[in-house]
Amino acid sequence: QKMKYATILATLFASANAFMAPTAPKASTSLNGYSDPGFCAGLPGALPPVGNFDPLNFLEGADDNKIRRFREAELTHGRVSMLAFIGFLVGEKVEGSSFLFDS
């Protein structure tokens, strides 16, 4: 009898929690430790062990707007390449053959 009431009470508390307003998560500052203000206009993205990765010196002499444009283009090209890869897999599944790997 007590176990039945304990189970019902626990279920009521768990279901009441579903109707509470969500609290905002605490902002993470983990990227702030890796952003170098002197590199890439202070944008996050320099990670250890590579650090400030610019092997072809594209950012040398670039102003803040150009650096932000490079970053935006990099993200856009990455997203387009991910969609192209998914499209390649879907086309291969639908047609049943691959124009690259069929011999």
Side-chain angles (χ1 to χ4, degrees):
Q1 191 75 348
K2 288 183 181 181
M3 188 64 145
K4 180 179 175 182
Y5 288 126
T7 305
I8 291 172
L9 191 61
T11 305
L12 287 175
F13 282 132
S15 63
N17 196 18
F19 295 105
M20 293 181 65
T23 57
K26 186 177 178 184
S28 174
T29 58
S30 62
L31 289 179
N32 291 340
Y34 300 118
S35 63
D36 181 8
F39 177 73
C40 201
L43 294 174
L47 300 174
V50 177
N52 301 334
F53 186 72
D54 186 22
L56 299 177
N57 293 326
F58 284 127
L59 301 179
E60 187 175 326
D63 60 347
D64 290 350
N65 289 331
K66 190 170 188 177
I67 292 171
R68 292 182 199 284
R69 191 181 65 190
F70 283 164
R71 179 64 64 93
E72 183 178 340
E74 181 180 2
L75 290 174
T76 302
H77 291 137
R79 290 172 182 160
V80 168
S81 68
M82 287 186 274
L83 284 174
F85 179 74
I86 296 296
F88 180 78
L89 292 178
V90 168
E92 191 172 294
K93 183 69 173 175
V94 168
E95 187 180 315
S97 66
S98 171
F99 64 93
L100 289 178
F101 303 117
D102 286 345
S103 56

